[in-house]
Structure formats: C-alpha cells, structure tokens
Short mmCIF file of all heavy atoms in Angstrom, two decimals:
data_model
loop_
_atom_site.label_atom_id
_atom_site.label_comp_id
_atom_site.label_asym_id
_atom_site.label_seq_id
_atom_site.Cartn_x
_atom_site.Cartn_y
_atom_site.Cartn_z
N VAL X 23 0.80 -1.14 -0.08
CA VAL X 23 -0.05 -0.09 0.01
C VAL X 23 0.80 1.13 0.04
O VAL X 23 1.91 1.31 0.71
CB VAL X 23 -0.88 -0.01 1.29
CG1 VAL X 23 -1.68 1.21 1.37
CG2 VAL X 23 -1.86 -1.25 1.25
N TYR X 24 0.47 2.21 -0.80
CA TYR X 24 1.06 3.55 -0.91
C TYR X 24 0.10 4.57 -0.78
O TYR X 24 -1.09 4.32 -1.15
CB TYR X 24 1.83 3.68 -2.26
CG TYR X 24 2.94 2.62 -2.53
CD1 TYR X 24 2.52 1.49 -3.07
CD2 TYR X 24 4.18 2.84 -2.16
CE1 TYR X 24 3.60 0.52 -3.52
CE2 TYR X 24 5.28 1.97 -2.43
CZ TYR X 24 4.85 0.76 -3.07
OH TYR X 24 5.80 -0.17 -3.41
N MET X 25 0.45 5.73 -0.36
CA MET X 25 -0.26 6.89 -0.43
C MET X 25 0.33 7.90 -1.46
O MET X 25 1.51 8.03 -1.39
CB MET X 25 -0.54 7.65 0.89
CG MET X 25 -1.20 6.78 1.96
SD MET X 25 -2.95 6.33 1.37
CE MET X 25 -3.74 7.80 1.68
N TRP X 26 -0.44 8.56 -2.24
CA TRP X 26 0.35 9.53 -3.22
C TRP X 26 -0.52 10.71 -3.25
O TRP X 26 -1.74 10.79 -3.03
CB TRP X 26 0.42 8.96 -4.57
CG TRP X 26 -0.87 8.48 -5.22
CD1 TRP X 26 -1.60 7.38 -5.09
CD2 TRP X 26 -1.72 9.23 -6.25
NE1 TRP X 26 -2.70 7.29 -5.90
CE2 TRP X 26 -2.71 8.54 -6.58
CE3 TRP X 26 -1.42 10.36 -6.83
CZ2 TRP X 26 -3.68 8.92 -7.62
CZ3 TRP X 26 -2.36 10.96 -7.75
CH2 TRP X 26 -3.47 10.19 -8.20
N LYS X 27 0.22 11.90 -3.58
CA LYS X 27 -0.41 13.12 -3.69
C LYS X 27 0.50 14.02 -4.69
O LYS X 27 1.68 13.65 -5.00
CB LYS X 27 -0.51 13.93 -2.31
CG LYS X 27 0.76 14.29 -1.72
CD LYS X 27 0.56 15.07 -0.39
CE LYS X 27 1.84 15.22 0.28
NZ LYS X 27 1.74 15.96 1.61
N MET X 28 -0.07 15.05 -5.11
CA MET X 28 0.48 15.86 -6.27
C MET X 28 0.59 17.21 -5.65
O MET X 28 -0.32 17.74 -4.93
CB MET X 28 -0.34 15.80 -7.44
CG MET X 28 0.53 15.90 -8.67
SD MET X 28 -0.55 15.77 -10.12
CE MET X 28 -2.16 16.50 -9.67
N LEU X 29 1.68 17.97 -5.96
CA LEU X 29 1.81 19.35 -5.59
C LEU X 29 2.40 20.21 -6.78
O LEU X 29 3.30 19.68 -7.42
CB LEU X 29 2.76 19.38 -4.32
CG LEU X 29 3.32 20.84 -3.84
CD1 LEU X 29 2.10 21.50 -3.17
CD2 LEU X 29 4.37 20.53 -2.76
N HIS X 30 1.99 21.35 -6.90
CA HIS X 30 2.52 22.20 -7.88
C HIS X 30 3.24 23.24 -7.06
O HIS X 30 2.71 23.88 -6.21
CB HIS X 30 1.41 22.89 -8.81
CG HIS X 30 2.03 23.80 -9.79
ND1 HIS X 30 2.30 23.31 -11.02
CD2 HIS X 30 2.26 25.13 -9.90
CE1 HIS X 30 2.79 24.26 -11.73
NE2 HIS X 30 2.81 25.37 -11.04
N SER X 31 4.64 23.51 -7.39
CA SER X 31 5.34 24.45 -6.69
C SER X 31 6.17 25.42 -7.61
O SER X 31 6.43 24.94 -8.69
CB SER X 31 6.24 23.86 -5.68
OG SER X 31 7.23 23.26 -6.34
N HIS X 32 6.56 26.62 -7.12
CA HIS X 32 7.42 27.43 -7.88
C HIS X 32 7.97 28.35 -6.73
O HIS X 32 7.47 28.30 -5.70
CB HIS X 32 6.84 28.16 -8.93
CG HIS X 32 5.29 28.84 -8.72
ND1 HIS X 32 5.26 29.91 -8.16
CD2 HIS X 32 4.26 28.25 -8.90
CE1 HIS X 32 3.98 30.07 -7.95
NE2 HIS X 32 3.30 29.17 -8.49
N ARG X 33 8.92 29.01 -7.09
CA ARG X 33 9.50 30.09 -6.30
C ARG X 33 9.32 31.45 -6.96
O ARG X 33 9.10 31.42 -8.15
CB ARG X 33 10.91 29.85 -5.93
CG ARG X 33 11.88 29.89 -6.97
CD ARG X 33 13.36 29.68 -6.48
NE ARG X 33 14.37 29.73 -7.60
CZ ARG X 33 14.75 30.81 -8.12
NH1 ARG X 33 14.40 31.87 -7.68
NH2 ARG X 33 15.64 30.88 -9.07
N ARG X 34 9.46 32.47 -6.22
CA ARG X 34 9.34 33.87 -6.91
C ARG X 34 10.81 34.44 -6.98
O ARG X 34 11.60 34.25 -6.03
CB ARG X 34 8.44 34.70 -5.91
CG ARG X 34 7.07 34.24 -5.83
CD ARG X 34 6.16 35.01 -6.41
NE ARG X 34 4.85 34.49 -6.22
CZ ARG X 34 3.94 34.33 -7.15
NH1 ARG X 34 4.21 34.65 -8.38
NH2 ARG X 34 2.73 33.82 -7.01
N ASP X 35 11.15 35.01 -8.15
CA ASP X 35 12.41 35.74 -8.22
C ASP X 35 12.46 37.03 -7.44
O ASP X 35 11.31 37.40 -6.88
CB ASP X 35 12.71 35.88 -9.70
CG ASP X 35 11.82 36.83 -10.48
OD1 ASP X 35 11.10 37.55 -9.89
OD2 ASP X 35 11.95 36.92 -11.71
N ASP X 36 13.39 37.79 -7.48
CA ASP X 36 13.42 39.12 -6.74
C ASP X 36 12.38 40.11 -7.21
O ASP X 36 11.92 40.92 -6.43
CB ASP X 36 14.85 39.68 -6.97
CG ASP X 36 15.95 38.81 -6.30
OD1 ASP X 36 15.57 38.09 -5.40
OD2 ASP X 36 17.10 38.92 -6.55
N GLY X 37 12.02 39.92 -8.44
CA GLY X 37 10.92 40.88 -8.97
C GLY X 37 9.46 40.40 -8.70
O GLY X 37 8.56 40.99 -9.07
N GLY X 38 9.33 39.22 -7.96
CA GLY X 38 8.02 38.71 -7.66
C GLY X 38 7.45 37.79 -8.67
O GLY X 38 6.24 37.38 -8.51
N CYS X 39 8.09 37.47 -9.71
CA CYS X 39 7.66 36.67 -10.84
C CYS X 39 7.80 35.21 -10.60
O CYS X 39 8.86 34.81 -9.86
CB CYS X 39 8.29 36.92 -12.21
SG CYS X 39 7.94 38.63 -12.88
N SER X 40 6.86 34.27 -10.95
CA SER X 40 7.09 32.87 -10.80
C SER X 40 8.14 32.40 -11.62
O SER X 40 8.13 32.66 -12.80
CB SER X 40 5.72 32.23 -11.00
OG SER X 40 4.75 32.55 -10.04
N VAL X 41 8.97 31.54 -10.99
CA VAL X 41 10.05 30.86 -11.85
C VAL X 41 10.22 29.46 -11.29
O VAL X 41 9.68 29.14 -10.20
CB VAL X 41 11.36 31.57 -11.64
CG1 VAL X 41 11.26 32.92 -12.38
CG2 VAL X 41 11.91 31.65 -10.25
N ASP X 42 10.73 28.59 -11.96
CA ASP X 42 11.10 27.27 -11.44
C ASP X 42 9.85 26.52 -11.22
O ASP X 42 9.63 25.90 -10.10
CB ASP X 42 12.06 27.18 -10.33
CG ASP X 42 13.40 27.88 -10.61
OD1 ASP X 42 13.85 27.71 -11.87
OD2 ASP X 42 14.09 28.25 -9.69
N CYS X 43 8.84 26.46 -12.08
CA CYS X 43 7.65 25.81 -11.95
C CYS X 43 7.90 24.31 -11.93
O CYS X 43 8.59 23.65 -12.73
CB CYS X 43 6.69 26.09 -13.15
SG CYS X 43 5.03 26.48 -12.93
N ARG X 44 7.28 23.57 -10.99
CA ARG X 44 7.57 22.11 -10.80
C ARG X 44 6.21 21.55 -10.43
O ARG X 44 5.35 22.02 -9.71
CB ARG X 44 8.51 21.93 -9.76
CG ARG X 44 9.87 22.57 -10.02
CD ARG X 44 10.90 22.31 -8.95
NE ARG X 44 10.50 22.07 -7.52
CZ ARG X 44 11.13 21.39 -6.74
NH1 ARG X 44 12.34 20.66 -7.04
NH2 ARG X 44 10.72 21.09 -5.47
N GLN X 45 6.08 20.23 -10.98
CA GLN X 45 5.05 19.48 -10.61
C GLN X 45 5.57 18.22 -9.63
O GLN X 45 6.54 17.61 -10.29
CB GLN X 45 4.20 18.88 -11.68
CG GLN X 45 2.86 18.20 -11.40
CD GLN X 45 1.87 19.24 -10.97
OE1 GLN X 45 2.08 20.48 -11.06
NE2 GLN X 45 0.77 18.70 -10.36
N ILE X 46 5.22 18.08 -8.49
CA ILE X 46 5.87 17.00 -7.66
C ILE X 46 4.75 15.88 -7.30
O ILE X 46 3.80 16.28 -6.73
CB ILE X 46 6.50 17.63 -6.43
CG1 ILE X 46 7.43 18.73 -6.72
CG2 ILE X 46 7.10 16.46 -5.62
CD1 ILE X 46 7.89 19.59 -5.66
N LEU X 47 5.07 14.63 -7.73
CA LEU X 47 4.34 13.49 -7.26
C LEU X 47 5.03 12.85 -6.17
O LEU X 47 6.14 12.39 -6.39
CB LEU X 47 4.14 12.64 -8.49
CG LEU X 47 3.42 11.36 -8.20
CD1 LEU X 47 1.80 11.62 -7.92
CD2 LEU X 47 3.48 10.48 -9.35
N THR X 48 4.34 12.63 -5.01
CA THR X 48 5.02 12.16 -3.80
C THR X 48 4.24 10.74 -3.59
O THR X 48 3.05 10.71 -3.41
CB THR X 48 4.90 12.99 -2.52
OG1 THR X 48 5.63 14.16 -2.83
CG2 THR X 48 5.64 12.28 -1.47
N VAL X 49 4.96 9.62 -3.58
CA VAL X 49 4.47 8.30 -3.28
C VAL X 49 5.16 7.81 -2.00
O VAL X 49 6.34 7.77 -1.89
CB VAL X 49 4.84 7.38 -4.50
CG1 VAL X 49 4.31 6.01 -4.18
CG2 VAL X 49 4.33 7.96 -5.87
N SER X 50 4.34 7.52 -0.98
CA SER X 50 4.82 7.21 0.42
C SER X 50 4.36 5.76 0.72
O SER X 50 3.15 5.50 0.75
CB SER X 50 4.36 8.16 1.42
OG SER X 50 4.70 9.43 1.14
N PRO X 51 5.35 4.89 1.05
CA PRO X 51 4.89 3.52 1.44
C PRO X 51 4.09 3.58 2.85
O PRO X 51 4.27 4.47 3.59
CB PRO X 51 6.35 2.86 1.65
CG PRO X 51 7.21 3.69 0.95
CD PRO X 51 6.73 5.00 0.99
N GLN X 52 3.27 2.57 2.92
CA GLN X 52 2.49 2.47 4.14
C GLN X 52 2.68 1.18 4.91
O GLN X 52 3.03 0.20 4.05
CB GLN X 52 0.96 2.70 3.69
CG GLN X 52 0.69 4.05 3.10
CD GLN X 52 0.92 5.08 4.01
OE1 GLN X 52 0.50 5.14 5.14
NE2 GLN X 52 1.83 6.07 3.72
N PRO X 53 2.43 1.02 5.99
CA PRO X 53 2.03 2.14 6.96
C PRO X 53 3.18 3.12 7.05
O PRO X 53 4.27 2.91 6.84
CB PRO X 53 1.70 1.37 8.21
CG PRO X 53 2.46 0.12 8.20
CD PRO X 53 2.56 -0.24 6.75
N ALA X 54 2.75 4.25 7.59
CA ALA X 54 3.73 5.42 7.71
C ALA X 54 4.92 4.95 8.50
O ALA X 54 4.80 4.28 9.52
CB ALA X 54 3.01 6.56 8.36
N GLY X 55 6.12 5.39 8.24
CA GLY X 55 7.34 4.96 8.95
C GLY X 55 7.93 3.73 8.32
O GLY X 55 9.00 3.37 8.86
N THR X 56 7.37 3.14 7.46
CA THR X 56 7.90 1.70 6.91
C THR X 56 8.92 2.01 5.70
O THR X 56 9.49 1.14 5.31
CB THR X 56 6.91 0.72 6.54
OG1 THR X 56 6.09 1.23 5.47
CG2 THR X 56 6.05 0.37 7.72
N GLY X 57 9.02 3.16 5.20
CA GLY X 57 9.85 3.56 4.22
C GLY X 57 9.85 5.06 3.88
O GLY X 57 8.95 5.67 4.22
N GLY X 58 10.81 5.49 3.05
CA GLY X 58 10.81 6.86 2.78
C GLY X 58 10.11 7.20 1.58
O GLY X 58 9.89 6.30 0.63
N PRO X 59 9.54 8.36 1.35
CA PRO X 59 8.87 8.76 0.12
C PRO X 59 9.70 8.87 -1.07
O PRO X 59 10.85 9.12 -1.00
CB PRO X 59 8.19 10.10 0.64
CG PRO X 59 9.22 10.73 1.61
CD PRO X 59 9.82 9.50 2.33
N LEU X 60 9.05 8.64 -2.13
CA LEU X 60 9.55 8.80 -3.48
C LEU X 60 8.95 10.17 -3.97
O LEU X 60 7.75 10.35 -4.05
CB LEU X 60 9.28 7.65 -4.38
CG LEU X 60 9.63 7.80 -5.89
CD1 LEU X 60 11.04 7.97 -6.07
CD2 LEU X 60 8.91 6.74 -6.70
N ARG X 61 9.80 11.10 -4.37
CA ARG X 61 9.35 12.33 -4.98
C ARG X 61 9.76 12.39 -6.44
O ARG X 61 11.03 12.43 -6.80
CB ARG X 61 9.93 13.46 -4.22
CG ARG X 61 9.28 13.65 -2.99
CD ARG X 61 9.77 15.00 -2.09
NE ARG X 61 9.44 14.99 -0.77
CZ ARG X 61 10.21 14.64 0.22
NH1 ARG X 61 11.59 14.27 0.03
NH2 ARG X 61 9.71 14.54 1.49
N ILE X 62 8.66 12.36 -7.41
CA ILE X 62 9.02 12.30 -8.71
C ILE X 62 8.66 13.78 -9.26
O ILE X 62 7.58 14.28 -9.05
CB ILE X 62 8.06 11.44 -9.56
CG1 ILE X 62 8.34 9.94 -9.04
CG2 ILE X 62 8.34 11.36 -10.96
CD1 ILE X 62 7.31 8.86 -9.47
N ILE X 63 9.79 14.45 -9.55
CA ILE X 63 9.80 15.93 -9.83
C ILE X 63 9.60 16.22 -11.48
O ILE X 63 10.68 15.77 -12.14
CB ILE X 63 10.91 16.53 -9.23
CG1 ILE X 63 10.80 16.42 -7.75
CG2 ILE X 63 10.95 18.11 -9.56
CD1 ILE X 63 11.93 16.86 -6.91
N PHE X 64 8.65 16.93 -11.87
CA PHE X 64 8.69 17.38 -13.31
C PHE X 64 8.94 18.88 -13.24
O PHE X 64 8.08 19.63 -12.79
CB PHE X 64 7.21 17.06 -13.85
CG PHE X 64 7.13 15.58 -14.04
CD1 PHE X 64 6.58 14.83 -13.00
CD2 PHE X 64 7.48 14.96 -15.23
CE1 PHE X 64 6.23 13.40 -13.13
CE2 PHE X 64 7.29 13.52 -15.28
CZ PHE X 64 6.60 12.85 -14.35
N ALA X 65 10.12 19.36 -13.69
CA ALA X 65 10.47 20.78 -13.69
C ALA X 65 10.15 21.27 -15.12
O ALA X 65 10.50 20.55 -16.05
CB ALA X 65 11.96 20.97 -13.24
N ASP X 66 9.66 22.57 -15.16
CA ASP X 66 9.48 23.07 -16.43
C ASP X 66 10.81 23.34 -17.20
O ASP X 66 11.79 23.52 -16.63
CB ASP X 66 8.81 24.55 -16.11
CG ASP X 66 8.15 25.19 -17.34
OD1 ASP X 66 8.08 24.52 -18.28
OD2 ASP X 66 7.96 26.44 -17.26
N GLY X 67 10.60 23.27 -18.39
CA GLY X 67 11.78 23.44 -19.41
C GLY X 67 11.48 23.40 -20.79
O GLY X 67 10.28 23.00 -21.06
N PRO X 68 12.28 23.63 -21.74
CA PRO X 68 12.13 23.63 -23.10
C PRO X 68 11.74 22.30 -23.56
O PRO X 68 12.21 21.26 -23.19
CB PRO X 68 13.55 24.00 -23.75
CG PRO X 68 14.24 24.53 -22.56
CD PRO X 68 13.82 24.05 -21.37
#
C-alpha cells in the first residue's frame, strides 16, 4: 500500500515573478514510517 499526492510549486524571483515551476508527485509507502517517500519531480523546461 502507498499513499500519493501531487503538488505544484514554484518560487518567486526578486521581482516577484514565478520561476522554476514544478509538478511534484510524492508516493509514500504505508504504513507510515515503513519507508521513505519517493518524490518524482517534473520541472518546467524547453
């Protein structure tokens, strides 16, 4: 059994614009504490 969730993240540059857009899928083995999470990261790019 795994639990999974998705998160969209980015940071703001000095001018306040969004940069480094990323989609992060986290898959965590269950029960909690039986293993570390896997973070699959999709970063924006050409």
Side-chain angles (χ1 to χ4, degrees):
V23 177
Y24 300 88
M25 296 301 285
W26 62 276
K27 65 181 179 177
M28 211 176 37
L29 172 72
H30 183 83
S31 74
H32 46 82
R33 66 178 180 82
R34 302 246 180 230
D35 66 11
D36 293 337
C39 294
S40 293
V41 295
D42 298 333
C43 223
R44 304 180 329 152
Q45 194 72 13
I46 304 167
L47 175 67
T48 302
V49 180
S50 301
Q52 298 298 304
T56 60
L60 171 65
R61 291 186 191 98
I62 302 173
I63 300 171
F64 293 91
D66 195 15

